[in-house]
Amino acid sequence: MRRNLVFLIDTSNSMRWHDKLAAAKIALAQFVDTLRPDETFTIQAFGSKGTEDLWGSAYGTDEEKSEAKKFIGNLSAGGWETNLHEAFLEALLRAKHDVENSDDDVVTILVTLSDAYATRGVTDRRKIAKHIFDLNSDSSVKIFNMGFRDSADMQLLDAIALMNGGLSSPIVQGRDFSDQIGNFLQSELGEILLSDVSLSYETISGARVYGETQSKLPVLADGYEVVTRGLIESDESFEHQLEALTQAYTTNGIMDWKVSAAPTVDESASSSLCFQSYASDRITQLMRLYEAADFIGDDLSKNFVILKNDCKSEKFRDCVKQEALDLAIEANLVVKGLTAMVTVDEKKCAAPDEDAEICVDGMSPDGVTFRPSYSDQSGEEADLEYHNDAVATAESAPMSPYSSGSPRGTYYYSASWRLQSYTALALAAIVSSFLLMHI
């Protein structure tokens, strides 16, 4: 499919630090070289104003790409304030204007690179997210966001991407900035094969399929692999036949694909590494929605996920977190903001039964007492109590792939006991592949 891209680049003064703007310019210039002559693109720089500088829109011809790269090379950082609200709305208006003049085989994408919180103009994060969503209510523009994790408002950027059919990605210290930016652009927005991809499942026996991981994708680029996982609720009479339906926009319009397969049944799935891998992906999905709920609101949040059970709470986000917590406990995963675990080598643990190896709160081997207490948002250390010269420590817990960065409020508690670690799982599958466990 042809791409119409609007690049929204932060040029506020903080982009000078650590050569962030220099890295962004390298990655953007390299990506511009990949555009085809029948594709269009715009480059908008923002800072104190929503539009500090503007190039395009133009086709991806060699001449236009050469001019665009000169424009990129001349971008400079300046100004201490960031008008994120105005920048998004102006870029979105430009993108929507392009949509009105585009053919059906063109997918329009707004790509943002930000390094700061909103400090000028409208700074209320909920209003920013709502105004962008309202302007893009027809979902004609997909919004993909990148942000420097040490300084950008990643929670807001992710919420905006979630609400507008896109993805977000943090750019982290310690790795080459230009490589991270370039890899995101190429892997997510390279040669696009499909857009508005949706996957759905059903069984011949009518057994319920639920708890699917991400089953809707804004775009699918060449070389990108996708895996969707879920669970089947069934009894012994279950017919092991699953049908998967994929629907997407292509260069030839909307197309459907249907495949059937017999899923592998694993009676011990709930305690297997396979189940833990599924649980990690599902928890990532749920916690992303939970974090974005402040901006999305309960009514809209229901459109982004189907929960295992009906939500009886007044706040839908509470049900989202509860399902994530239940799944983390069932899969024995330690997840930021959800679970913590205490493990011991001692055999004298005061535990619920004689075979238990995990002490419950307030109980420990050899009468050593401690009281777990989570750190607060300020990062203060956990409150620990101990005696008999036992040394108590609080250490960062191994976490699921969802938990990037330092955990807030998730610790192992140890009094000269061994800490166990978990290995994160990484799986890849082809488009429309699926992995469902029989429970």
Side-chain angles (χ1 to χ4, degrees):
M1 299 187 71
R2 291 184 291 159
R3 297 167 293 181
N4 171 44
L5 302 173
V6 177
F7 298 103
L8 182 59
I9 308 300
D10 189 345
T11 56
S12 60
N13 201 59
S14 59
M15 287 289 286
R16 297 178 186 270
W17 305 338
H18 306 293
D19 293 324
K20 294 176 183 178
L21 183 58
K25 289 161 67 172
I26 293 172
L28 183 56
Q30 290 174 345
F31 188 71
V32 163
D33 270 333
T34 70
L35 298 176
R36 302 193 306 262
D38 61 347
E39 297 178 316
T40 53
F41 66 110
T42 303
I43 304 170
Q44 174 185 328
F46 73 97
S48 299
K49 297 185 294 185
T51 302
E52 294 285 359
D53 211 345
L54 181 67
W55 185 92
S57 172
Y59 283 97
T61 62
D62 289 342
E63 182 180 356
E64 296 291 1
K65 288 191 290 188
S66 178
E67 291 298 319
K69 287 188 288 185
K70 291 179 182 178
F71 173 85
I72 293 169
N74 290 328
L75 289 176
S76 61
W80 289 101
E81 294 184 301
T82 303
N83 198 328
L84 201 59
H85 176 261
E86 188 174 88
F88 262 110
L89 294 186
E90 291 180 358
L92 188 53
L93 285 171
R94 292 187 172 100
K96 290 181 71 67
H97 177 267
D98 292 338
V99 170
E100 295 173 358
N101 298 281
S102 298
D103 297 328
D104 292 339
D105 65 337
V106 175
V107 55
T108 297
I109 302 170
L110 170 58
V111 187
T112 304
L113 175 63
S114 175
D115 183 48
Y117 281 67
T119 58
R120 187 183 180 92
V122 176
T123 59
D124 185 292
R125 301 159 82 208
R126 294 186 183 183
K127 288 183 178 180
I128 294 173
K130 185 179 185 304
H131 292 170
I132 295 169
F133 179 76
D134 288 345
L135 182 58
N136 195 36
S137 58
D138 59 356
S139 301
S140 58
V141 178
K142 295 162 179 44
I143 300 180
F144 284 65
N145 294 327
M146 292 174 285
F148 290 91
R149 193 170 63 186
D150 62 335
S151 52
D153 190 345
M154 286 308 305
Q155 187 181 19
L156 175 59
L157 293 177
D158 189 58
I160 291 171
L162 179 63
M163 296 166 71
N164 293 274
L167 299 172
S168 69
S169 177
I171 303 166
V172 300
Q173 290 277 7
R175 293 167 50 198
D176 187 275
F177 288 155
S178 62
D179 283 349
Q180 293 181 67
I181 298 169
N183 289 339
F184 178 81
L185 291 173
Q186 193 58 46
S187 63
E188 301 292 348
L189 305 173
E191 185 177 349
I192 295 177
L193 304 178
L194 306 171
S195 71
D196 300 282
V197 184
S198 66
L199 307 173
S200 60
Y201 304 93
E202 60 183 23
T203 61
I204 294 177
S205 64
R208 180 189 177 203
V209 180
Y210 68 96
E212 297 99 317
T213 56
Q214 184 177 3
S215 58
K216 293 184 179 181
L217 305 170
V219 294
L220 187 67
D222 185 24
Y224 194 78
E225 297 179 334
V226 177
V227 57
T228 295
R229 301 180 175 95
L231 302 175
I232 297 176
E233 189 173 64
S234 63
D235 53 29
E236 295 180 357
S237 63
F238 168 61
E239 288 187 44
H240 305 301
Q241 191 70 20
L242 181 72
E243 293 185 338
L245 175 66
T246 303
Q247 184 178 83
Y249 279 92
T250 72
T251 54
N252 298 317
I254 298 177
M255 294 188 66
D256 297 306
W257 298 268
K258 194 171 187 177
V259 295
S260 299
T264 302
V265 177
D266 182 0
E267 297 296 340
S268 62
S270 62
S271 61
S272 69
L273 294 179
C274 182
F275 182 76
Q276 284 190 329
S277 177
Y278 157 74
S280 177
D281 272 8
R282 176 66 172 176
I283 291 168
T284 298
Q285 175 193 24
L286 293 171
M287 291 304 294
R288 182 188 180 203
L289 179 58
Y290 176 77
E291 292 291 335
D294 281 343
F295 309 99
I296 297 176
D298 283 341
D299 289 340
L300 187 58
S301 295
K302 297 174 183 178
N303 297 327
F304 294 100
V305 70
I306 298 177
L307 298 180
K308 176 181 179 181
N309 301 310
D310 292 337
C311 180
K312 300 186 184 312
S313 172
E314 293 182 0
K315 294 183 177 181
F316 183 74
R317 64 175 301 184
D318 291 342
C319 296
V320 172
K321 186 174 183 178
Q322 186 61 51
E323 180 168 320
L325 174 60
D326 293 342
L327 193 54
I329 293 173
E330 183 179 2
N332 296 318
L333 291 176
V334 178
V335 181
K336 170 187 174 182
L338 285 177
T339 56
M341 182 175 290
V342 177
T343 63
V344 299
D345 282 336
E346 301 290 343
K347 300 300 183 182
K348 299 179 181 179
C349 178
D353 60 74
E354 61 182 9
D355 296 325
E357 295 183 358
I358 300 176
C359 296
V360 298
D361 288 356
M363 309 172 76
S364 61
D366 303 319
V368 178
T369 61
F370 63 96
R371 176 171 58 83
S373 174
Y374 299 115
S375 69
D376 59 20
Q377 294 296 321
S378 66
E380 294 179 2
E381 294 185 357
D383 178 20
L384 299 173
E385 295 180 355
Y386 54 94
H387 58 78
N388 294 338
D389 297 325
V391 178
T393 62
E395 299 188 23
S396 298
M399 295 173 290
S400 77
Y402 166 77
S403 307
S404 60
S406 59
R408 293 181 178 177
T410 305
Y411 294 94
Y412 276 133
Y413 290 88
S414 170
S416 71
W417 304 311
R418 170 175 57 86
L419 298 180
Q420 295 180 345
S421 63
Y422 291 87
T423 303
L425 302 175
L427 298 179
I430 63 172
V431 177
S432 298
S433 67
F434 50 85
L435 182 60
L436 291 100
M437 281 67 69
H438 173 74
I439 61 170

